[in-house]
Amino acid sequence: MGDAKESPRISIRNLYKIFGKNPEQYVDLVKQGMTKTELNEQHGHVLGLKDINIDMPAGGIMVVMGLSGSGKSTLIRHINRLIDPTAGEVIVGEEDVCKMSPGQLREFRRHQTAMVFQKFALLPHRTVMDNAVYGLEVQGISRTQQLERAQHWVSRVGLAGFENNYPNQLSGGMQQRVGLARALTNDAPILLMDEAFSALDPLIRMDMQSVLLDLQKEIRKTVVFITHDLDEALRLGDKIAILRDGEVIQQGTGQEIVLNPADEYISSFVKEVNRGRVVLVETIMKPLAEGNPGEGPAIAIGTTLEEAAKTMTDANVGKAHIVEADGKIMGSLDIHEVISSMVTPIGHDDAIAAE
Amino acid sequence: MSWWNEFPSMNTATLRAVKKSIDESFRGFTREYGEYIELFFEPLKQFLIWSERIMLNSPWPLVILAIALIAWLASRNLRIVIGTVVTLLLIGYFDMWEDTMKTISMIFVCTIMAIVIGIPIGIAMSRSDRLQSVINPILDVMQTMPSFVYLIPVVMLLGIGKVPGLIAVVIYAIPPIIRLTNLGIRLVDKDVLEAADAFGSSNWQRLKNVQMPLALPTMMAGINQTIMMALAMVVVASMIGVQGLGQPVLKAINSQYFTLGVFNGLAIVGIAIIFDRTSQAFGKRLQKHQEVVHG
């Protein structure tokens, strides 16, 4: 299905969410610096999100990562306003979602967003096909068109032959494929995925991540992906924001976060990460003199260290050179550099201890 | 210390005056508006007569075939169908066919009325906690008030006959369908509702596509209860002129005809079991896809 709609960027500005009876009353106190604990103890209100500012790239995968209770699921529900913010703006394209009337909001949800849920949230009384067409049915599109468009995505996510099965006849992984097909059939430029793969077994999760990455190459939607798993975040995210207690504590590319964790909390996560799969060759390459053709095999920019190491060992060489997409030579790579960068260096906390 | 040993009740004269004035004003109301009220219920009466005529005028093999077919479509269970046919044949053999048809017709109309009135009330209740807290006590009164008591105003308003009987039966039998519609909708999985919202469903689409289908098995349990209660009430309603299996039972009580009472009683039990098994099997079939097979 060709998608004529341009995927919009999403900007979240100064977003606050307080849960309780009179949330508006306490926004100013929180803005003045009241902490989550103080708010809870003194006023019995729960601070869900505090001063969130995130720019989500158009047509890219934005991952919001955090542990349970960090507010990540609350955050994603502000993008299609399943939860109303206490203060702040959520700007999609040109429009502020928070200022939409109920009618506008319904149209926005029908045409601009589609969502995939952690617990699948399929309609149990409908077949795979009838679940997939749900978004189109709500839009009031003719049944023939619904089926035609849904069939494409049902097959695309690997459910061909299961169209007439009911969700309870499918495994968890397959149910989530139905959830994905339902969201993709909606043909919305924004795809919201709330811990979409968290309920799946590790192998099936990897498999679904590959499905998503493959699809994203052709659909180029603005994907917002929520997860509690850093490996998943690094694998999928063009950009990652890490949330803790309702606040963003770091945002950037996976590489930036792994190489420069903002604080101890993040470095404790990052320690366990396989750097070879995150750090890219251009980060550690050495510049080459003008006109130097470079040694060894050519490795494209954007390749991970792990892949580069494999290319080099396969070719049984110690050196390689990095090229841009157009073939321009960028720099050189040494196998020793590659390996030492793949090994976890002195951690952030060790560095602090050493001071 | 007379107030200690004897409850200080309202004095007899005042109490009598209160009762009398309530009775009289109600009687006045009846005289004034009884005609209009009867007119209002006229379509209902025609429906009742029409349904009874169909049941009585159709040849009995056709009726048995039709009921067996309905039982099959609802339950897809051969045993239930065979049980239904055997029960109906026995009832006919013991010469209770006509009364049974009248009763089934009455139950049919009562159940339809209860569904038509009850489900919208249940839906409204599920959407508003305030409405729920108003309607719940009313339903409690309807269910616990001895059924004979509300026969009185109904008879005063509409006299003796089918329509007052129908109203009494519906009042008695409607609470379960209202309660279980409300409950069923309130129990719908919040995640699925959220998904429906996320795709931009309107309120009506939410109700039609998600809440009603998912609440249906619970609502079916309510309909089952409603049918059973209607059957029980049909016997009591025979006291105000509802024809059917209740009348021979009433006659048997008055004249101490033991066998007559037992036969008609058993016929009632028979159709009760048919309705119960069929509607339960239907409810179970509705649930088929909601059970979790895979974790």
Side-chain angles (χ1 to χ4, degrees):
Chain A
M1 284 294 122
D3 191 352
K5 289 176 227 168
E6 189 77 14
S7 300
R9 57 187 273 145
I10 304 170
S11 304
I12 296 176
R13 294 265 165 274
N14 309 320
L15 189 76
Y16 287 83
K17 177 67 189 177
I18 297 170
F19 294 101
K21 276 190 173 163
N22 299 306
E24 287 81 14
Q25 209 174 317
Y26 300 108
V27 175
D28 287 332
L29 284 176
V30 172
K31 282 182 179 168
Q32 284 157 25
M34 179 175 268
T35 67
K36 185 173 182 162
T37 337
E38 283 169 349
L39 183 72
N40 196 8
E41 279 171 5
Q42 293 170 24
H43 304 288
H45 280 57
V46 176
L47 181 55
L49 293 172
K50 184 179 176 186
D51 198 17
I52 305 285
N53 287 284
I54 302 177
D55 278 311
M56 307 189 174
I61 301 182
M62 172 81 212
V63 174
V64 177
M65 199 215 115
L67 299 183
S68 52
S70 61
K72 56 192 190 301
S73 287
T74 310
L75 178 61
I76 198 174
R77 278 168 177 69
H78 279 86
I79 296 171
N80 56 0
R81 229 175 95 194
L82 286 173
I83 296 178
D84 277 303
T86 310
E89 295 173 330
V90 176
I91 295 160
V92 174
E94 304 291 316
E95 271 190 288
D96 185 354
V97 179
C98 306
K99 292 201 175 74
M100 288 181 182
S101 67
Q104 284 174 321
L105 182 63
R106 204 177 302 134
E107 285 305 305
F108 171 76
R109 287 175 179 167
R110 283 180 186 176
H111 300 288
Q112 298 294 309
T113 66
M115 197 162 178
V116 183
F117 297 86
Q118 179 176 12
K119 292 183 199 143
F120 321 139
L122 301 173
L123 297 170
H125 61 289
R126 291 184 169 212
T127 60
V128 167
M129 195 42 129
D130 286 332
N131 264 292
V133 300
Y134 189 77
L136 298 182
E137 188 186 313
V138 165
Q139 290 175 23
I141 282 168
S142 77
R143 179 78 181 164
T144 2
Q145 271 216 38
Q146 286 177 21
L147 291 177
E148 192 185 315
R149 287 163 66 175
Q151 184 63 55
H152 171 82
W153 290 113
V154 167
S155 310
R156 188 68 185 76
V157 298
L159 284 173
F162 292 94
E163 289 87 349
N164 296 318
N165 284 71
Y166 285 88
N168 69 351
Q169 298 169 319
L170 303 176
S171 66
M174 289 175 84
Q175 289 190 38
Q176 195 56 301
R177 283 169 195 260
V178 181
L180 195 56
R182 173 172 70 177
L184 292 170
T185 302
N186 208 24
D187 208 8
I190 297 172
L191 188 58
L192 305 173
M193 304 187 74
D194 179 25
E195 297 216 39
F197 305 150
S198 299
L200 307 177
D201 298 335
L203 275 178
I204 297 168
R205 192 186 312 168
M206 289 284 285
D207 186 34
M208 290 296 286
Q209 289 165 0
S210 309
V211 169
L212 179 66
L213 287 172
D214 270 0
L215 281 170
Q216 177 65 358
K217 279 182 204 144
E218 75 186 69
I219 59 182
R220 287 271 146 218
K221 290 179 192 288
T222 304
V223 180
V224 182
F225 193 100
I226 301 289
T227 181
H228 59 246
D229 176 359
L230 186 61
D231 287 323
E232 187 168 65
L234 292 169
R235 179 148 189 239
L236 296 176
D238 294 319
K239 190 180 170 194
I240 299 169
I242 298 182
L243 226 59
R244 182 194 189 185
D245 288 338
E247 284 178 82
V248 175
I249 44 179
Q250 187 173 11
Q251 48 182 321
T253 63
Q255 196 179 213
E256 280 164 17
I257 287 172
V258 169
L259 295 178
N260 301 305
D263 65 7
E264 251 175 280
Y265 177 75
I266 296 177
S267 59
S268 69
F269 274 115
V270 166
K271 252 192 322 211
E272 312 299 331
V273 165
N274 180 348
R275 289 159 178 270
R277 292 193 183 154
V278 180
V279 181
L280 304 177
V281 284
E282 60 264 35
T283 317
I284 60 158
M285 69 184 179
K286 292 267 162 41
L288 265 179
E290 194 78 30
N292 189 336
E295 298 173 68
I299 293 173
I301 205 165
T303 309
T304 60
L305 294 186
E306 196 176 72
E307 288 167 47
K310 188 169 187 310
T311 313
M312 290 161 84
T313 45
D314 282 353
N316 204 12
V317 291
K319 286 199 183 290
H321 62 282
I322 314 295
V323 292
E324 261 189 291
D326 58 9
K328 189 176 162 226
I329 295 171
M330 297 292 296
S332 73
L333 204 59
D334 186 294
I335 189 77
H336 299 293
E337 287 283 326
V338 173
I339 291 168
S340 69
S341 305
M342 278 166 68
V343 179
T344 311
I346 298 170
H348 185 84
D349 38 21
D350 296 334
I352 291 169
E355 275 171 18
Chain B
M1 284 286 275
S2 71
W3 63 268
W4 181 255
N5 293 318
E6 206 174 304
F7 200 94
S9 59
M10 199 192 278
N11 76 55
T12 328
T14 326
L15 192 60
R16 195 184 304 132
V18 168
K19 286 180 187 163
K20 204 172 156 197
S21 70
I22 293 177
D23 277 350
E24 248 154 38
S25 60
F26 187 69
R27 210 164 283 146
F29 171 79
T30 313
R31 257 181 236 125
E32 194 90 355
Y33 298 104
E35 229 172 291
Y36 301 107
I37 291 171
E38 245 171 87
L39 218 61
F40 175 77
F41 286 113
E42 186 61 26
L44 207 58
K45 194 170 161 189
Q46 292 308 319
F47 183 30
L48 271 168
I49 292 171
W50 171 80
S51 132
E52 199 176 290
R53 201 169 287 157
I54 284 185
M55 297 292 282
L56 284 174
N57 292 353
S58 312
W60 66 267
L62 273 186
V63 175
I64 292 189
L65 214 66
I67 296 179
L69 186 70
I70 293 170
W72 169 252
L73 289 178
S75 67
R76 300 291 158 93
N77 182 334
L78 212 57
R79 279 174 56 193
I80 291 179
V81 176
I82 292 170
T84 303
V85 172
V86 169
T87 311
L88 288 174
L89 287 175
L90 277 174
I91 286 173
Y93 190 66
F94 282 94
D95 194 26
M96 293 179 290
W97 184 260
E98 204 163 297
D99 282 337
T100 304
M101 287 305 110
K102 285 176 179 166
T103 297
I104 292 181
S105 149
M106 185 79 184
I107 298 297
F108 171 70
V109 175
C110 288
T111 308
I112 287 184
M113 290 306 297
I115 291 173
V116 166
I117 301 169
I119 288 181
I121 296 178
I123 292 172
M125 240 170 117
S126 71
R127 305 185 141 224
S128 148
D129 285 337
R130 195 183 295 171
L131 193 65
Q132 178 178 245
S133 63
V134 172
I135 292 183
N136 256 335
I138 300 177
L139 294 180
D140 292 338
V141 172
M142 282 161 71
Q143 279 187 301
T144 47
M145 179 79 85
S147 39
F148 303 99
V149 174
Y150 51 74
L151 290 181
I152 304 166
V154 173
V155 170
M156 282 170 75
L157 266 179
L158 295 163
I160 279 175
K162 285 188 174 61
V163 174
L166 175 94
I167 294 170
V169 172
V170 171
I171 292 176
Y172 183 72
I174 207 171
I177 176 76
I178 297 180
R179 279 191 211 275
L180 286 161
T181 300
N182 174 35
L183 182 72
I185 292 180
R186 280 174 187 267
L187 286 182
V188 168
D189 189 352
K190 296 279 175 293
D191 291 335
V192 180
L193 274 183
E194 191 179 46
D197 282 340
F199 282 92
S201 311
S202 62
N203 278 336
W204 166 244
Q205 286 168 331
R206 229 163 94 109
L207 184 68
K208 179 186 68 145
N209 296 329
V210 183
Q211 290 174 312
M212 290 291 275
L214 295 191
L216 210 53
T218 314
M219 284 159 65
M220 216 35 232
I223 292 174
N224 171 283
Q225 285 301 301
T226 291
I227 295 174
M228 293 299 110
M229 290 178 71
L231 253 172
M233 189 61 185
V234 154
V235 178
V236 176
S238 67
M239 295 201 313
I240 56 168
V242 171
Q243 293 183 325
L245 289 167
Q247 293 224 310
V249 172
L250 200 65
K251 198 160 105 191
I253 296 170
N254 289 336
S255 329
Q256 298 176 4
Y257 294 147
F258 172 63
T259 324
L260 182 72
V262 169
F263 278 7
N264 284 278
L266 284 177
I268 292 174
V269 171
I271 53 177
I273 292 176
I274 293 174
F275 286 156
D276 180 62
R277 295 301 182 275
T278 308
S279 58
Q280 271 195 28
F282 183 59
K284 219 170 243 144
R285 280 207 315 129
L286 288 176
Q287 270 185 61
K288 200 170 71 181
H289 297 299
Q290 303 206 3
E291 286 154 14
V292 177
V293 180
H294 288 285

